[in-house]
Amino acid sequence: MSEFKFGFVALLGPPNSGKSTLMNHYLGQKVAIVSPKPQTTRNRISGILSDDESQIVFLDTPGIHRMRGKMNRFLLETAWDALSSSDIIVVLFDAAFFASKPHLMEQELAPLVKPVNGSGRPVYVAVNKIDKVKDKAMLLPVMEKAQAMWPDAEFFPISARKGDGADVLLDKIKAALPEGAPMFPDDQISTVPMRFMAAEVIREKLFMSLQQELPYSTAVEIEFWNEDPEKNLVNIGAIIYTTKSNHKGMIIGKGGQNLKKIGIKARTEIEEMLEQKVMLELWVKVREGWTEDVGFLRSIGLGE
Ligand code: GDP
Ligand code: K
Ligand code: MG
């Protein structure tokens, strides 16, 4: 009989490399929001995967790339923080993108090379989105470059979306986990509080409802969360913040139609998540300059 294993696994990579998709795939349900837009994952979201022999806490992170501004600084800190509190590092990148643009690889992935190589932890590189690479020979230069960047790593061609190759990577992770007792009950799926997950669901529906011109300058704050155990109901109020009044109009939509749609979709998903009836009230408020306001960033869970 081997000992129980427990550990933290940091998922690091550029925006849109598929970190949240891979974590959700392993957990068999959506814990982190997934979207084709970068910067969907802002905070460090964890997902807990338990079985009879091990418990893994995945640390999903915002994408790592060169960015400016306070919010972006917080996003980067969140990612480095995950690296330093992890036992194992999984680096992801979009192989389909680099298969067609291999000359961009060194530059785009540069921020991930030194910190990862110097981490002293086992490094697994997930060469993701192989389902999108029709001509597999296109992967060879990509693999070669990646091997030169992370010489001590092991490489796993995967499709996080379809699940191809994901089991092989998971077995590897499990084998490399340190011995230790589980830190969480085996039915707990995330270390993130439910109210935060609810705010994330609202943010996802908001993203989905708006066109490409949507500013990334939106945030969701849960204003109240009132449980009514007798009716098995929770009454949730949330504020959507944006930086400009014309954005407010876009979010609300003609006759309030867009906001209503966001509300219905978010409520349905939060009900599934909580296994409880939900009443959801949404407001939209303009708050200029919030992406540079440290106090506000903290209040929505970004930064220290
Ligand atoms: P993150 O920013 O790294 O967390 O990336 P997401 O998980 O949010 O994924 C970004 C986009 O890539 C989403 O539209 C995903 O559906 C898509 N995606 C992720 N993994 C794969 C994959 O293996 N294959 C394909 N075709 N798309 C993927
Ligand atoms: K994304
Ligand atoms: Mg993400």
Side-chain angles (χ1 to χ4, degrees):
M1 258 312 278
S2 53
E3 290 295 312
F4 198 88
K5 293 182 154 192
F6 173 83
F8 292 90
V9 175
L11 302 174
L12 299 175
N16 283 341
S17 51
K19 301 175 291 296
S20 300
T21 303
L22 183 65
M23 185 171 88
N24 292 342
H25 171 79
Y26 284 145
L27 299 177
Q29 78 182 71
K30 192 157 74 187
V31 171
I33 67 182
V34 172
S35 112
K37 293 170 184 149
Q39 288 194 27
T40 313
T41 306
R42 282 188 182 153
N43 306 64
R44 188 172 83 182
I45 312 249
S46 66
I48 306 169
L49 183 65
S50 304
D51 64 21
D52 295 340
E53 294 155 354
S54 66
Q55 184 171 74
I56 305 170
V57 183
F58 288 101
L59 305 173
D60 187 11
T61 63
I64 296 198
H65 58 153
R66 294 187 201 86
M67 300 179 286
R68 290 222 299 253
K70 283 210 175 62
M71 180 167 86
N72 289 327
R73 232 188 35 234
F74 280 148
L75 294 179
L76 267 182
E77 277 167 18
T78 305
W80 297 138
D81 203 48
L83 180 142
S84 58
S85 41
S86 67
D87 300 293
I88 295 167
I89 295 169
V90 174
V91 173
L92 284 95
F93 64 80
D94 180 340
F97 176 78
F98 291 123
S100 57
K101 297 189 181 65
H103 57 286
L104 289 181
M105 223 172 130
E106 272 104 350
Q107 184 191 329
E108 297 278 313
L109 299 175
L112 281 159
V113 172
K114 252 196 197 160
V116 167
N117 285 334
S119 70
R121 286 140 171 103
V123 177
Y124 302 132
V125 178
V127 181
N128 192 29
K129 307 199 189 181
I130 53 163
D131 59 293
K132 278 173 86 178
V133 185
K134 294 283 166 289
D135 177 5
K136 299 292 182 231
M138 303 270 283
L139 283 175
L140 291 175
V142 173
M143 292 297 279
E144 250 169 50
K145 277 183 197 265
Q147 276 158 355
M149 279 189 265
W150 299 284
D152 300 323
E154 286 184 59
F155 295 82
F156 300 83
I158 67 162
S159 166
R161 185 185 272 177
K162 301 213 160 141
D164 301 337
D167 287 350
V168 181
L169 173 58
L170 186 60
D171 287 345
K172 199 76 204 185
I173 291 169
K174 282 185 180 168
L177 284 176
E179 283 178 4
M183 198 176 270
F184 303 98
D186 65 5
D187 60 351
Q188 190 174 332
I189 184 115
S190 179
T191 61
V192 172
M194 278 299 178
R195 34 184 312 144
F196 175 78
M197 286 172 66
E200 287 287 282
V201 169
I202 297 165
R203 211 156 60 83
E204 180 185 68
K205 304 310 168 202
L206 172 68
F207 271 36
M208 284 168 58
S209 80
L210 294 161
Q211 303 307 315
Q212 205 57 48
E213 71 263 31
L214 166 78
Y216 291 112
S217 46
T218 52
V220 174
E221 188 175 40
I222 301 293
E223 184 71 358
F224 59 81
W225 184 288
N226 300 324
E227 309 255 357
D228 182 343
E230 248 157 59
K231 292 187 186 147
N232 190 30
L233 182 141
V234 53
N235 190 1
I236 302 171
I239 302 176
I240 297 170
Y241 286 101
T242 180
T243 49
K244 295 201 181 97
S245 53
N246 64 321
H247 296 160
K248 179 175 169 175
M250 280 167 54
I251 294 168
I252 294 174
K254 246 201 200 110
Q257 279 306 310
N258 197 53
L259 189 63
K260 198 170 157 193
K261 260 192 252 164
I262 296 170
I264 291 170
K265 287 196 175 137
R267 187 195 36 142
T268 310
E269 201 165 310
I270 296 167
E271 282 183 338
E272 277 171 24
M273 206 168 83
L274 300 176
E275 295 177 327
Q276 209 173 12
K277 269 229 138 339
V278 169
M279 272 174 44
L280 178 64
E281 292 169 64
L282 295 177
W283 294 270
V284 185
K285 285 192 184 169
V286 178
R287 191 184 172 110
E288 277 173 34
W290 71 260
T291 57
E292 296 300 312
D293 179 343
V294 176
F296 179 75
L297 288 168
R298 288 196 179 124
S299 79
I300 60 166
L302 282 170
E304 299 288 287

